[in-house]
């Protein structure tokens, strides 16, 4: 794991955008895994700026999003489809047929249809040649994607139930009302995520410091899904000072190779 610590949210987002842009420059047909939530918003803003001002070209890039709520219309303002459209897709030259997202159109009891959909998503990732770079946030409860504590470290794309903590944390996208946050979601599994060739993991803020310490320095356990990152051979973790504040390992930045 390479841990990169930057003073501010802005600085860490620029660093993350630089990593994404340099992949696209090296490999214009890169396959990129995308995440939602508050953490990557500034990263997407910088990618849009790079596209507009420095002609970063997304035309051959393929994207796969990590997860989606179940039971929301695609354009519901709380859906990840809506988030991605607003925060990235409407502003860069990604081809529509190269944008892949899990669908939330199912009811939670449509188990067979959901597992077929999830299997097709796994097959689509494989057919695209696998994910070159997966962007990830870390939930305050340690989830990656919507893999809540207790998820198998080998899990695949599937239907999951969301924990109360996640509903509370994500209420900001649902009029600050946790009861409006769906109870179920579909998510890439931890096993699926770990197959990406590289991971770009972002965390910011004091409220993430404790879970970042557990994920990066604690034991690898299904109860802290983000601890699975320790198993990946090419994970870059970008933190702001606050999220890194409880790490005890040597995080001397002069030892960290630039990305
Ligand atoms: P956040 O969520 O970026 O809104 O903090 C991170 C996550 O749940 O993965």
């Amino acid at each position: 794991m390479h841990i990169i610590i930057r003073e501010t949210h802005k600085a860490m987002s620029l660093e993350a955008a630089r990593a994404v842009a340099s992949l696209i420059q090296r490999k214009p047909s890169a396959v990129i895994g995308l995440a939602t939530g508050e953490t990557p918003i500034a990263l997407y803003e910088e990618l849009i700026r790079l596209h507009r001002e420095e002609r970063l070209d997304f035309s051959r890039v393929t994207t796969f999003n990590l997860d989606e709520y179940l039971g929301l219309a695609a354009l519901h303002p709380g859906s990840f489809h809506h988030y991605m459209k607003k925060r990235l897709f409407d502003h860069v030259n990604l081809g529509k047929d190269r944008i892949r997202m899990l669908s939330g159109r199912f009811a939670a009891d449509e188990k067979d249809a959901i597992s077929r959909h999830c299997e097709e998503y796994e097959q689509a990732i494989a057919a695209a040649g696998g994910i070159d770079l997966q962007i990830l946030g870390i939930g305050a409860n340690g989830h990656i994607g919507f893999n809540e504590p207790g998820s198998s470290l080998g899990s695949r794309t599937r239907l999951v139930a969301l924990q109360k903590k996640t509903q509370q944390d994500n209420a900001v996208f649902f009029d600050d009302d946790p009861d409006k946050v769906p109870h179920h979601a579909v998510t890439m599994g931890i096993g699926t995520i770990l197959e990406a060739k590289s991971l770009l993991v972002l965390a910011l803020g004091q409220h993430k410091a404790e879970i970042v310490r557990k994920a990066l320095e604690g034991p690898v356990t299904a109860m802290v899904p983000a601890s699975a990152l320790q198993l990946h051979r090419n994970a870059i973790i970008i933190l702001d000072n606050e999220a890194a504040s409880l790490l005890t390992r040597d995080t001397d930045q002069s030892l960290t190779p630039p990305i």
Side-chain angles (χ1 to χ4, degrees), residues 221-256:
T221 163
M223 290 312 289
V224 182
S227 66
L229 302 173
Q230 296 177 37
L231 300 171
H232 199 280
R233 63 181 181 178
N234 189 15
I236 297 159
I237 324 280
I238 308 185
L239 308 171
D240 71 348
N241 269 344
E242 291 186 348
S245 60
L246 296 180
L247 292 178
T248 61
R249 62 190 273 166
D250 185 352
T251 50
D252 178 352
Q253 292 299 291
S254 63
L255 300 175
T256 304

Side-chain angles (χ1 to χ4, degrees), residues 74-220:
L75 288 180
H76 184 289
S79 75
F80 293 158
H81 277 73
H82 182 264
Y83 172 109
M84 289 309 308
K85 189 171 150 43
K86 192 167 118 205
R87 308 249 178 227
L88 184 67
F89 298 157
D90 278 355
H91 310 286
V92 295
N93 64 334
L94 272 161
K96 275 207 169 58
D97 53 343
R98 292 181 183 272
I99 293 172
R100 305 297 297 259
M101 294 190 76
L102 284 157
S103 169
R105 68 179 183 270
F106 305 98
D109 60 0
E110 292 183 89
K111 297 219 162 43
D112 290 347
I114 296 171
S115 42
R116 266 198 310 279
H117 179 61
C118 291
E119 179 57 30
E120 282 163 14
Y121 203 64
E122 293 267 349
Q123 285 166 3
I125 293 172
I131 291 173
D132 292 302
L133 176 85
Q134 175 66 56
I135 298 166
L136 283 173
I138 300 181
N141 69 349
H143 71 206
I144 48 175
F146 270 140
N147 294 283
E148 301 284 46
S151 298
S152 159
L153 300 185
S155 52
R156 310 300 307 184
T157 304
R158 70 200 185 291
L159 168 67
V160 291
L162 300 181
Q163 295 187 347
K164 281 244 149 2
K165 170 83 178 122
T166 295
Q167 289 177 300
Q168 282 157 5
D169 290 347
N170 290 6
V172 62
F173 295 103
F174 292 85
D175 307 327
D176 284 326
D177 182 355
D179 291 334
K180 288 192 183 162
V181 180
H183 294 239
H184 292 90
V186 273
T187 183
M188 281 188 204
I190 298 175
T192 319
I193 291 169
L194 290 179
E195 280 172 14
K197 288 163 203 140
S198 60
L199 304 180
L200 185 64
V201 186
L202 312 179
L204 68 103
Q206 196 61 44
H207 65 299
K208 295 289 175 73
E210 180 61 29
I211 198 66
V212 163
R213 189 188 61 73
K214 283 189 184 151
L216 304 187
E217 297 188 349
V220 174

